[in-house]
Amino acid sequence: MIRKSLAALSLVAAAPFASAEPIKMCVFDVIGANGDMFNMVKDYALEMKAHGVDFELRPYTDEGVAVGDFNSGQCDAVAATDLRTRPFNRFTGSLSAVGAIPDYGDLKTALATLATPKAAPLMESNGYEVLGIVPAGAGYLFVNDRSIDTAGELAGKRMATLDYQKDAIHMVNHVKATVVPSDITNFAGKFNNGSVDTAYAPAFAYEALELYKGIGEDGGIVDYPLAQLTIQVIAREGVLDDETAQKSREVAWGMYGQAMDLIQSQEEAIPEEKWIRIPEKDIQGYQEMFRENRLQLRDGSHGAEKVYHPKMMSLLSKIRCSSNPSASECTASDRE
């Protein structure tokens, strides 16, 4: 009898999450429960079931409401873009630093590094923990006039800018464009009805948010990644034990290929003539301009707030210089 009781106890101890309450997760997807992002989180939740974690997913089409409900305790975790989750973890929230990850190869290296056990301490901050990071695609500049193809051409132009994205506001001011405060629910409408000249979004927005309407006959998409956007799963610290939290990050990293297949199919679906290709000589100038802005947003100088985490800036600099060692930034005295 005692042996049977001990066996039953050990079974309970081995599966602490199986009998626990489901972990409620607020999930942002601009399309809702039928969107690609929600389905990706669904796949993640399904795989986490095998590790004894039961997520109950709640779809939200408004990112601000999803994060608000997480903040108020209606959800134990939230899946949203790093633009909104940055306040929970400044380190992982700095992945989308302007111009910091110029291509998907560097992104893959960065996300592989962040999924290792060695990076685990940096995943915890302010009572919150990052449980996973998945790519959402490079952010591109959508313009209603193809002549807006240099930073100089942006002066005076109206740009839909997320009002909680401090680095974007700093950058728009830097190029002397006009900030038109927007949020994720209305920026597309503003671009499509012509009340702004430019908007910033990943390729999926071309079809899903009908940004082709705002582009019209005369506009296009500038083929240079301004930043790499990611979906981050954030939970209150202690929702998962350390070992399961690490397993969760590895499960999310395991979805990298699936996410990239989706992103690349969205980019390839945009007609070739809609892309505005940038000459290589111009790209070098942009990279230096972005670097100066990143330093300002790291240090809180030149009127900028301290937005970017120095450790992330240093990591991304090492990754860029490993893949492109001849870049001028790699020998700069003020290297990130």
Side-chain angles (χ1 to χ4, degrees):
M1 185 73 185
I2 291 171
R3 195 171 292 155
K4 276 186 179 172
S5 301
L6 286 172
L9 275 172
S10 65
L11 274 174
V12 171
F17 296 106
S19 58
E21 285 287 302
I23 296 169
K24 298 181 184 70
M25 190 195 300
C26 299
V27 181
F28 164 69
D29 187 312
V30 76
I31 309 296
N34 296 318
D36 293 326
M37 184 167 153
F38 188 83
N39 282 323
M40 191 93 61
V41 177
K42 218 154 77 174
D43 290 346
Y44 155 83
L46 197 61
E47 192 154 343
M48 286 306 293
K49 253 194 162 76
H51 302 287
V53 182
D54 185 15
F55 282 112
E56 180 189 298
L57 306 183
R58 298 177 173 184
Y60 288 75
T61 54
D62 186 320
E63 194 171 28
V65 176
V67 171
D69 280 3
F70 171 61
N71 273 329
S72 67
Q74 292 181 54
C75 296
D76 312 299
V78 64
T81 65
D82 53 52
L83 305 179
R84 274 285 190 190
T85 61
R86 190 179 278 160
F88 303 115
N89 189 306
R90 190 170 150 224
F91 176 72
T92 60
S94 299
L95 270 171
S96 58
V98 62
I101 306 177
D103 60 53
Y104 290 131
D106 286 352
L107 175 68
K108 186 176 185 179
T109 306
L111 295 188
T113 305
L114 298 183
T116 61
K118 195 177 171 187
L122 291 160
M123 299 299 119
E124 295 181 13
S125 176
N126 305 318
Y128 297 96
E129 182 162 18
V130 180
L131 298 183
I133 306 172
V134 178
Y140 297 102
L141 196 64
F142 287 69
V143 297
N144 61 7
D145 178 350
R146 291 182 76 87
S147 70
I148 307 173
D149 60 353
T150 64
E153 297 286 350
L154 288 167
K157 297 293 187 289
R158 297 158 302 168
M159 296 185 74
T161 311
L162 301 179
D163 47 18
Y164 49 83
Q165 201 186 348
K166 306 278 189 241
D167 50 343
I169 292 168
H170 181 72
M171 193 75 216
V172 173
N173 288 331
H174 179 83
V175 296
K176 298 182 169 54
T178 302
V179 169
V180 178
S182 309
D183 65 40
I184 212 132
T185 61
N186 64 25
F187 83 94
K190 289 180 181 180
F191 181 63
N192 291 342
N193 69 23
S195 57
V196 298
D197 304 299
T198 74
Y200 158 82
F204 95 92
Y206 180 81
E207 273 295 338
L209 302 182
E210 302 182 330
L211 292 192
Y212 56 82
K213 290 181 177 174
I215 286 173
E217 290 299 308
D218 302 322
I221 306 162
V222 180
D223 182 25
Y224 184 81
L226 294 176
Q228 295 289 350
L229 302 177
T230 58
I231 308 309
Q232 300 194 4
V233 177
I234 311 282
R236 265 173 268 286
E237 238 173 79
V239 163
L240 298 183
D241 62 56
D242 289 350
E243 193 180 332
T244 313
Q246 177 55 31
K247 179 50 70 179
S248 169
R249 288 187 285 273
E250 289 164 9
V251 165
W253 161 240
M255 299 177 73
Y256 178 86
Q258 180 186 344
M260 285 310 304
D261 286 347
L262 184 64
I263 290 160
Q264 279 162 341
S265 69
Q266 289 163 345
E267 292 186 355
E268 285 163 10
I270 294 172
E272 171 60 31
E273 68 271 13
K274 296 298 178 189
W275 291 100
I276 302 168
R277 309 295 179 189
I278 301 288
E280 187 58 42
K281 59 177 173 49
D282 289 352
I283 287 175
Q284 289 170 9
Y286 290 138
Q287 286 171 338
E288 183 53 30
M289 177 177 76
F290 290 145
R291 191 178 80 87
E292 286 170 12
N293 271 268
R294 288 195 303 272
L295 291 171
Q296 291 166 10
L297 288 154
R298 179 196 70 183
D299 301 337
S301 60
H302 295 78
E305 290 186 35
K306 281 189 182 181
V307 175
Y308 299 150
H309 196 292
K311 270 195 174 149
M312 180 61 83
M313 293 304 92
S314 174
L315 170 66
L316 298 181
S317 169
K318 284 175 185 150
I319 290 170
R320 289 193 304 274
C321 289
S322 170
S323 62
N324 183 18
S326 62
S328 59
E329 66 159 311
C330 303
T331 51
S333 57
D334 57 349
R335 191 173 158 184
E336 284 163 88

